[in-house]
Amino acid sequence: MAQSHVPTYEVRSDIVDNSEAWRILIVEDDERLAELTKEYLESNGLIVSVEENGTRAIERIQTEQPDLVVLDLMLPGEDGLSICRKVRPSYTGPILMLTARTDDLDQVLGLEMGADDYMCKPVRPRVLLARVRALLRRINESGTNVKEPVDAARSGDEPSRLQFNNLVIDRSMREAWLDDASIDLTSAEFDLLWLLASNAGRVLSREEIFTALRGIEYDGQDRSIDVRVSRIRPKIGDDPVHPRRIKTVRSKGYLFVREI
């Protein structure tokens, strides 16, 4: 792997509580970077282990079932894209992919293989922690693996099920159905679909979507929202070329149409 830039991490010891902490697996062959990342995340209350070999990482992810995987793209044995594709049928937790390249193709391929988020190296530790917390928040809010609160909880008066003709979306079960048939959605795709559907009839800007799903400001260049919308449309019976359910509003964002 090409030499990476190793960030300087500010360790915080004031909020450590490992009694019910989330378990993170870092798959990274840069030993120094992996160790520094591990120390920083542990100082912020997470339980972290490291695996440097891609082939071994597949087995560990499947057997250990960590709450979240931080996965480097370039690895010995198996690359990150291959790992993501192979573990997705048996691993439902979030995957945060790291890449040393800024090529859009790598980022799009990562999302298509099942990654929930990606970051380009060099990694800024505070941004990494924010991304990790945003991904873990999804687990916390779904109720499937409730541990310590990661951030502010969502209000309890929001409906847990939405229906639009033959499309049903259930937040508590984190499932959706089209004509009573279950829709195969990744965790990130479900979160985006729920966000759009729960705001049906209102245009959501990319900035609003990005902030709501990731907890950080939109940088104006990230394509993950567009990729996920394009993948969701055919799954919910929408026309990818001439969409009627999730419309693109030029220069504004996306609109989920209540009645079609």
Side-chain angles (χ1 to χ4, degrees), residues 15-196:
I15 55 175
V16 177
D17 179 6
N18 287 332
S19 59
E20 292 290 338
W22 300 90
R23 297 175 298 111
I24 312 297
L25 176 63
I26 298 174
V27 184
E28 169 64 72
D29 68 327
D30 184 324
E31 184 177 350
R32 187 183 175 206
L33 176 60
E35 188 59 31
L36 286 171
T37 304
K38 179 177 184 291
E39 290 177 1
Y40 182 76
L41 293 179
E42 286 181 336
S43 75
N44 283 277
L46 303 170
I47 296 175
V48 184
S49 57
V50 176
E51 176 55 61
E52 64 180 22
N53 181 274
T55 303
R56 290 195 299 266
I58 294 174
E59 182 179 356
R60 289 192 62 179
I61 293 170
Q62 292 172 330
T63 58
E64 296 177 16
Q65 292 290 310
D67 295 307
L68 180 143
V69 176
V70 177
L71 178 62
D72 189 29
L73 181 63
M74 303 298 292
L75 294 162
E78 295 267 2
D79 63 50
L81 293 176
S82 176
I83 293 171
C84 197
R85 176 176 56 83
K86 290 181 178 180
V87 303
R88 260 308 170 214
S90 58
Y91 177 68
T92 59
I95 296 176
L96 171 58
M97 186 168 286
L98 305 181
T99 174
R101 296 180 290 191
T102 58
D103 189 348
D104 279 352
L105 180 60
D106 285 339
Q107 299 169 0
V108 171
L109 284 175
L111 295 172
E112 291 182 343
M113 290 297 104
D116 295 273
D117 200 356
Y118 62 82
M119 291 185 66
C120 294
K121 294 181 176 180
V123 175
R124 289 180 293 172
R126 289 185 179 179
V127 177
L128 173 64
L129 180 61
R131 297 282 184 93
V132 167
R133 282 177 166 167
L135 290 169
L136 291 176
R137 188 187 304 116
R138 298 174 185 171
I139 300 175
N140 202 56
E141 290 178 346
S142 70
T144 57
N145 192 9
V146 177
K147 296 185 180 178
E148 58 185 296
V150 178
D151 273 317
R154 179 177 275 171
S155 61
D157 57 354
E158 186 176 86
S160 62
R161 175 170 287 211
L162 300 171
Q163 182 164 0
F164 306 91
N165 298 328
N166 60 341
L167 174 65
V168 179
I169 311 166
D170 191 299
R171 181 168 68 93
S172 60
M173 298 179 66
R174 292 186 65 79
E175 291 188 35
W177 299 267
L178 183 67
D179 292 323
D180 296 324
S182 179
I183 302 173
D184 182 19
L185 295 167
T186 67
S187 176
E189 288 169 355
F190 180 87
D191 290 328
L192 176 54
L193 176 60
W194 178 265
L195 178 65
L196 293 171

